Amino acid sequence: MVELVAESPGGNPPPIEIGGARADWITAETLLWLSNWDDAGASAVAEAMGVGMPGPGEVAEAPGGRLAWVGLDQALWIGAAAAAPVGVAAMDQGDAWSLVRLSGPDVPDVLARLIPVDPAEIVPGRVVRTELKHMQSILIGCPDGAVDVAVFRSMAGTLARDLEEAMSSVAARRMI
Amino acid sequence: MRVPCPICGSRDSREFYYQGAAVMLNRPDPGAGDGAWDAYLHLRDNPEGETEELWHHSMGCGAWIKVTRNTVTHVISGAVLAREAER
């Protein structure tokens, strides 16, 4: 029996570690994009995922994953395989987004070179949708100052290059 | 320039797409006649002072918002979701 290995939709490039920041490509078993829900749909989501619909900028931690607000009346389930709840427009986007976990003490300085939002806003339980360089991105706060970054799969290579450049620049400033 | 998104808060204008005058919210009746449709599609005021515009938070939450902006001072004095704006 062939053992299938989960691969990030952007491939599995090696982690980038420069100075005090590190980027690891991560995988999620399921990315389910939810929209157009009514009260019954929100209840179905609460039953299936174990959390209520997040308000703007919120990320709800559930037993099997996270439910993040990702736009006006839209949410993204990141986690274990989940059946699409009834009463919600649910779309499997597991192959559509590249996920990168940024960690290390230099994460705020690296992000400050890439996004027009204060990186201090991206704390655990919060999600920010903004422009990362020229890419539409989702930034999710994680424990210990880490941030999960998601961009379209087609832009994974650009994200890697932009992260590497920003991390190199921050590291270079540290050496002055 | 900062745009106050009703959902996301104050954000840099680079996150937004500018559509134009908010008259686009007031779509005429299909039978309103050529004059009304011509005005709706093509004729715009060029006000000196407060004007209402539609912006799309294309790099953020995806909301269409109606922004009140002063063309003289560039002060943005308000923003509401287009779907909640008075028509």
Side-chain angles (χ1 to χ4, degrees):
Chain A
M1 183 74 185
V2 176
E3 194 70 22
L4 296 176
V5 179
E7 188 176 83
S8 156
N12 276 345
I16 307 168
E17 186 162 16
I18 302 171
R22 181 183 165 97
D24 292 278
W25 269 255
I26 57 175
T27 55
E29 193 175 352
T30 303
L31 293 180
L32 204 58
W33 196 278
L34 308 173
S35 61
N36 284 5
W37 59 81
D38 52 15
D39 289 345
S43 302
V45 167
E47 200 169 308
M49 275 86 177
V51 284
M53 282 298 183
E58 293 174 0
V59 183
E61 289 286 340
R66 292 172 285 176
L67 188 59
W69 173 92
V70 285
L72 186 61
D73 299 337
Q74 294 170 84
L76 181 65
W77 169 256
I78 306 167
V86 177
V88 185
M91 187 193 293
D92 175 14
Q93 298 208 348
D95 215 21
W97 293 85
S98 271
L99 283 166
V100 174
R101 174 155 298 177
L102 290 179
S103 57
D106 282 349
V107 167
D109 292 316
V110 170
L111 284 179
R113 288 172 179 262
L114 297 169
I115 61 172
V117 173
D118 185 355
E121 289 182 23
I122 310 169
V123 295
R126 299 295 297 176
V127 56
V128 166
R129 288 228 55 180
T130 188
E131 185 185 51
L132 192 150
K133 277 286 181 124
H134 295 294
M135 296 176 281
Q136 288 170 316
S137 64
I138 304 169
L139 297 115
I140 300 172
C142 299
D144 302 321
V147 173
D148 282 354
V149 180
V151 300
F152 297 150
R153 186 258 313 265
S154 59
M155 301 174 186
T158 307
L159 176 66
R161 199 180 61 220
D162 289 342
L163 285 174
E164 192 170 353
E165 187 183 315
M167 288 157 71
S168 302
S169 301
V170 171
R173 295 289 301 175
R174 296 273 184 267
M175 289 191 286
I176 293 174
Chain B
M1 184 172 167
R2 308 285 292 180
V3 178
C5 174
I7 304 284
C8 303
S10 174
R11 291 294 184 94
D12 193 281
S13 64
R14 82 181 79 159
E15 292 186 11
F16 295 82
Y17 164 76
Y18 172 81
Q19 197 271 341
V23 293
M24 293 310 282
L25 290 175
N26 302 314
R27 191 180 178 86
D29 185 82
D34 291 348
W37 275 96
D38 181 50
Y40 173 70
L41 290 172
H42 303 298
L43 303 184
R44 294 288 175 271
D45 293 332
N46 185 18
E48 181 184 6
E50 280 210 336
T51 181
E52 291 187 324
E53 306 165 328
L54 288 180
W55 293 64
H56 184 225
H57 198 183
S58 54
M59 285 288 180
C61 63
W64 279 99
I65 58 177
K66 187 168 98 167
V67 172
T68 306
R69 184 175 66 91
N70 190 309
T71 57
V72 177
T73 62
H74 299 305
V75 168
I76 292 178
S77 54
V80 294
L81 290 179
R83 68 184 183 187
E84 292 171 3
E86 281 181 37
R87 306 264 176 120

